[in-house]
Amino acid sequence: MSRRCELTGKAVLTGNLVSHSNRKTRRRFLPNLVNVTLTSDVLKRSVKLRVSANALKTVDHRGGLDAFLIKARTEELSPKAAELKRAVVKASQAVAA
């Protein structure tokens, strides 16, 4: 299981741990990932995703999973989330027509 957010693409970064004596050793900055179940209003089902805490705040800010996926760039999404985005866009166009 990769340490990558399925919605924003946020992943592990590397850098230096700098001691008081200014000695530098390599370290990893891990994203704050949580397993969540988000509900899609258009598809009328829930989806389990592994997302960062920052992405959760963004989903709430944009008004839900459907609004987030419609606005998100497909390149940043995981294959699972990209498939979900296609389904949401297709279902929302069917509702609008």
Side-chain angles (χ1 to χ4, degrees), residues 64-82:
L65 180 63
D66 299 332
F68 179 89
L69 288 173
I70 289 170
K71 194 169 182 180
R73 292 181 20 215
T74 309
E75 304 88 48
E76 292 180 350
L77 300 174
S78 70
K80 181 179 178 181

Side-chain angles (χ1 to χ4, degrees), residues 81-94:
E83 180 64 35
L84 188 62
K85 177 181 177 170
R86 282 191 288 277
V88 166
V89 169
K90 186 177 179 180
S92 64
Q93 289 174 349

Side-chain angles (χ1 to χ4, degrees), residues 15-27:
N16 287 321
L17 180 76
V18 182
S19 70
H20 179 69
S21 64
N22 210 23
R23 173 179 277 177
K24 289 145 184 102
T25 55
R26 298 303 283 178
R27 64 160 289 183

Side-chain angles (χ1 to χ4, degrees), residues 11-52:
V12 176
L13 296 173
T14 58
N16 287 321
L17 180 76
V18 182
S19 70
H20 179 69
S21 64
N22 210 23
R23 173 179 277 177
K24 289 145 184 102
T25 55
R26 298 303 283 178
R27 64 160 289 183
R28 296 172 66 194
F29 295 94
L30 301 177
N32 184 10
L33 297 177
V34 290
N35 295 317
V36 294
T37 302
L38 298 171
T39 306
S40 171
D41 297 329
V42 175
L43 300 177
K44 295 181 176 43
R45 65 182 177 106
S46 58
V47 183
K48 286 186 177 183
L49 295 171
R50 190 166 192 222
V51 300
S52 63

